[in-house]
Amino acid sequence: MKRHADIILPLAVAALLLGAWEGAVAHWQVPAYVLPAPSAIARAFADNFGSLIEALASTLAVTLEAFLAACVLGIATAIAFSQSRLLERTLYPYAVILQVTPVVAIAPLILIWVGFERINLALVIIATIVAFFPILAGATLGLKSADFNLIDLTRLYGASRLQTLWRIRLPNALPYLLSGMKTAGGLALIGAVVAEFVAGSGTATGLAWRIVESGNRLEIATLFAALALLALTGVVIFAALSLLEWWLLRRWHESALQAP
Amino acid sequence: MIALTGIAKRFPNGVEALNDLSFSVNRGEFVSLLGPSGCGKSTVLRLAAGLLAPDAGAVTYANGKPQIGFVFQDHTLMPWADAMTNARLPLDLKRMPRDQADARASTALARVGLAGFERAYPRELSGGMRMRVSIARALAAQPQLLLLDEPFAALDEITRNALGDDLLKLWREDGLTVLFVTHSVGESSYLSQRMLVMTPRPGRITADIALAVGRDSRLAPATIEAQRVISGALNTAIAE
Ligand SMILES: Nc1ncnc2c1ncn2[C@@H]1O[C@H](COP(=O)(O)OP(=O)(O)OP(=O)(O)O)[C@@H](O)[C@H]1O
Ligand SMILES: [Mg+2]
């Protein structure tokens, strides 16, 4: 019952808002280049379906590659940190610096260094930088917060560091890591979009570029269609990661006791 | 089996937990360690297991370091693993072949009355059942020396008594050496052959009492008499 309500209520609100929007645009005769009606946006979406989906595929590819790279790098770095306090104390500040520096500020540099002829690689690198930190932070916290007594128990039975890592620290880190991954999934998309904006039109071919281009041509309905697609993509990424989280933790973690 | 001599332990934060603590436990004995909260009982167990190094004094084992089973105050199970995998942990760490380890772990679970719960996760078990899994895990490694740190403190009296009887049975069957930390006079008067009483921090052994035979039940006259003796020793220790 509750799960149905979770879906029906937001949909009802959406229908209500869209209806009000449609009505308001018609009633006050708002020009289409300021605020197009939902029906006009739907028409623009249908008209540009092929090219919008192509743009989405391009942005999605960058997002997923960046997300995977951030997962691999973040987990590997966290494992290295968990094995050496010295390494963690030395390098963690740099991870923080990378995190607090606005990505728009470093994106042009990366584009220049990587080169516009390898634009896709540059976009992936920029988006990876954005998505990296929550994974590192989540995995680091999870690896460190393992039950002290359990760690002692492995020592009692002569476990190697690798065994302790594999049997205790990594499983313990999973809920923290998944929570970091949920944040990172959205950030990878944001990073990909920001990177496309910085790269500018002509080189990138993703949704962000479609937004810039539509804006320049005052095709506001197409702009909205691209925007809606982007938002939907973000929601789908978040939902997919939430599902993964629930599936992996359903047998044992408090957070997964209720179905998503 | 194990001897602690002249042990001193001070933690980095300046807390002096133990000072000049000595005692020994013979092979096959069931010894209880009793003392007020915070006197350093858990620290003694961790020293005995070699998980902590003393600042002064030494921990020595009669015939080389024995296989040790450790049961913590709370169950300390892996929440992500079922009862079987939890009980099997010591064997997995020793890289025992899977089928052999499975057989041993399920035997251990059956001995603590958990046959049929091999696939249950800790959160699907009651507090007493979790404690049983924890004991099964300690038994799976077939220890010679079993160290228990207030294992029944968090349980109700009925469960506590049942687990206490189970523990006595395991001890008799396996010829284990048991060092049992507790702050319950009732529990220790019935279970153990010998009592060590500690002073408040910094902890030291003030009384080493061999309990009389004839404590066949919790209400036997000999058990009640033992409680009187232990309480007296505990009061003296706290007054020091
Ligand atoms: N890792 C630690 N760092 C600093 N102080 C500690 C540490 N472990 C224990 N202590 C201190 O040492 C003293 C003895 O602790 P311990 O846990 O051995 O007591 P205990 O007798 O087991 O108490 P309880 O009956 O409450 O479990 C306490 O005062 C405690 O604060
Ligand atoms: Mg304690």
Side-chain angles (χ1 to χ4, degrees), chain B residues 192-197 207-212 226 229-234:
Chain B
S192 44
Q193 298 178 302
R194 218 173 102 212
M195 293 291 318
L196 302 168
V197 182
D208 185 337
I209 308 164
L211 299 182
V229 173
I230 297 164
S231 297
L234 190 59

Side-chain angles (χ1 to χ4, degrees), chain A residues 152-153 155 163 251-252 257, chain B residues 46 51 79 93 121 123:
Chain A
D152 270 353
L153 207 62
R155 282 211 289 145
Q163 282 181 313
R251 283 307 295 271
W252 63 276
L257 284 185
Chain B
R46 287 165 53 76
L51 293 170
L93 293 174
Y121 281 67
R123 73 167 176 81

Side-chain angles (χ1 to χ4, degrees), chain A residues 195-256:
Chain A
E196 283 179 30
F197 268 115
V198 175
S201 55
T203 43
T205 51
L207 274 177
W209 171 70
R210 280 309 298 256
I211 289 174
V212 172
E213 187 205 41
S214 312
N216 291 342
R217 295 194 195 159
L218 281 182
E219 292 169 1
I220 306 301
T222 315
L223 187 153
F224 266 91
L227 208 56
L229 211 51
L230 209 51
L232 191 69
T233 308
V235 170
V236 168
I237 290 174
F238 186 80
L241 288 171
S242 298
L243 197 69
L244 177 74
E245 182 184 40
W246 169 79
W247 187 75
L248 285 174
L249 303 183
R250 71 196 185 289
R251 283 307 295 271
W252 63 276
H253 202 256
E254 311 297 336
S255 69

